Amino acid sequence: MSTAELPSQAETVVIGAGAVGCSVAYHLSELGAENVVVIDQGPLPVTGGSSVHAPGIMFQTSPSKVQTKTAYYTSRLLSDAGVYDEVGGIELARSEERMDFLRRRVEWAESYGLPEPQLLSPEEVTDHLPMVNEEEILGGYYSPTDGRVDGIAALQWYIANADAADFHGNTEVTDLDVAGGQVNAVETDRGTIECERAVMATNNWGYQTARMAGLDLPIAPVEHQYVVTEPMEDLADVGASIGDNTTGLDVPGQREIAEAMSQGPTQPVGRDQDNSLYFRNHGDSLGLGSYNHETLSVDPDEMGTNTDESQASVRGFTTKHWEQPTHPDREKSPKQAFDELLPATQDADYLATENGIFVFTPDGMPAVGPTASVDGLWSALAIWWTHSGGYGRIVAEWMENGVPRLPSGPVDTGGIHVRRFEPHAGEKEYFVDKGAKRYQQVYSIVEPRWQPDEHRGLRTSPFHDRQQELGAEFYQSGGWESAQWYDSNADLVEEYDEQIPEQEGWTGINRSPIEAAEHLHTRDAVSMFDMTSFSSIIVEGPDATDFLQRMCSNDVDSEVGKVRYSLLCNEGGGILADVTVVRLDDDRYMVTTGGGSSPGIHGGWLKDHAPDTVSVRIQEGGKSTIGLWGPKSRLLLQRCTDADVSNSGFPYFTAKRIYVGEVPAVALRVSYVGELGWELWAPVEYGRRLWEVLEDAGEDLDVRPMGGGALSSMRLEKGYRLWGTDIDTDSNPYEAGLGFAVDLDTDFVGKEALAAAKAEGVDAEITPITLDDSTDILRTGAPVLVDGEARGYVQAADFGYSIGESIAYTYLPTEYTDAGTGVQVRSEGELYDATVRNEPLFDPGRDRIIR
């Protein structure tokens, strides 16, 4: 409902009354929240944001499970509300490469549960879309539940049905009252609203809103083009009500845009991704959308507000970008490509034109969840209509119940969490450039392991110069330059040639046989792996033990020098992280986890929950770390230290402070590759010397550097989990095969949920499969079939060079997880026979680790 007077107090203030803000408010109401206030600078429901200038097209299929799931939830929600036109969606192929891509679309849809995905012939495409020039296409991908949302009608429905929320338009936020690390109030031009929590759902203004709280969120606004033709003869039988759709509504700027966007389609919505175009009919007119132009970035500080002449999120149409080819990866202009695909548009006049604004993050994914440094301040940004209903539900569940979820179950938040961004990501030039690149790639076919050229070398380890000398092929992750393989190891390829099958096709792109050779060499000798991008978190204080017992699923109250593998879980028992906990002293621990988003998400989780008597210090980049692994690692390490590193003197899963040469280090006898070995954690200033000591001492042992490619295949052979890939917040430890890391005799976050899960038993669990008669590497996300029906999908895959088989990990219903069960995998249009196996596939007796 809506009231005229602005309240002075609310439990929750949602800033932004567009698709996302209204969805959050609606779902908070559904979950029982009270006293929610939604405010927007524009009139309601036509606020002037991107929600009301968007054509509302919804293509649900994505390589991302969470994106697909949120899109499907959104389409069902809005369909039930009566504001969704389920006309289907067709993605066209004008090249062989795009046809291969569309086969992947079908496979993703199968894996993630979209109904009845199918490939179409050119003739079948034109049966659905008769205006398409059949000679221009090779086929299409059809998703029958795709369609279009009526943006204005959907906002009206949300406002009418969010019972716990009051909506206020024409209310501009002027500041956020943040004190003591807590949001206390939202200040507006109509008064101040005290609140316990606030949600930023301002999308195009997301950067500016966050700056009011002292946060630098990387939300980059970008323009893109859309035109609506005058009524067309080919659509004359359809009819339209353009001119009457917004009667009685306060519409800022160009009413013709809101009018046209409110007119629904009668044919499937379409995409020509080979030319970065999309289209739909607006009654008897045709709407043509284009990403096919150079990136038109908007200064995030200069978004502005509505005027009498324009909506705030609409810029003037630039004819140059419509009629000339300005996109760096496209040969044709938008108009030329449309004229060829839809010949009836060739001489059409335009009823409405716009350069509409929407936003990108550096990785192109949403930014949702609780912010890092302001308690009670939530982000729901960088979300399109397609996923808005789903993310509104996820954020509301997260706020009310502590567990991000959809009705279908918990969701993985690692790739969408607002805390995932690295420290440099908030610099404006950086994230605007990154957003521009994501815009450029919207409809591009991005190769596996693609790496950017821009903003490289931001974060390097002390070993970087030496790695360059050794010919490292650097991949960037979280701003870190991490070696994937080393050209200096090329000689090993010939040595291990018979064990390295050729990898062709899509999954073989950007791979090197050197990765395989490094894998095999590490199994035979000794290698050094740069772990500097990994994070250590120092937890200390008089209550450090009690605190970690509360946060960790395993019993970490161990002797000094012991190492424990544990999990961090949320209240629903979902896996937030897997961590290694090292007890350094009675009241001092080192918690180690991965790099990338781990410091912000996992370190932040610990920091948020720590009492005043416990210090949590996230040492991101504060350590230089080497993984020293392989059967000769003990011999090499003993040459460099006076410490006893024998099996009895330094047992598996223990830690010591030692000197490696002159370098003080914390040595952990752990291995992520299934070999004898240690992790050596040293202060970053000693890093260069640490590498030199080990390299010099191991020359006669043929010590080699190894990269991330070898790490990936070696860990998969051992069945070691990787957070964000094999395990995440949409799986619990029992499903993930990690019940050994749960001690229900301790009291920890998520215990109640896990006790119930253990009592009930699991319906699905992770299992390895190997291909029966192929050495191909499977594609992540490929559906795993039992009796022709998708029962799971590939979580991770690689070739196991030590066992000579292609490996994939998948979650399957428990009735199919017995070793020997036959399954099939559909990957890149091929159907592979595979067999369920027991894990670990390599060294099941752990003889190579414990010796």
Side-chain angles (χ1 to χ4, degrees), residues 537 539 547-548 551 568 591 602-610 616:
I537 304 165
V539 180
F547 168 64
L548 284 176
M551 301 309 298
L568 305 180
V591 179
H602 307 146
W605 176 258
L606 292 175
K607 206 173 183 69
D608 286 350
H609 288 81
V616 176

Side-chain angles (χ1 to χ4, degrees), residues 742-760:
V742 177
D743 186 342
L744 292 175
D745 291 332
T746 63
D747 187 18
F748 59 90
V749 175
K751 174 184 175 178
E752 184 176 342
L754 289 184
K758 184 176 183 181
E760 294 171 4

Side-chain angles (χ1 to χ4, degrees), residues 58-79:
M58 289 180 58
F59 291 94
Q60 300 166 93
T61 312
S62 169
S64 162
K65 178 182 177 181
V66 69
Q67 291 283 83
T68 303
K69 291 285 189 181
T70 52
Y72 187 61
Y73 175 85
T74 303
S75 73
R76 298 309 88 199
L77 173 72
L78 299 179
S79 179

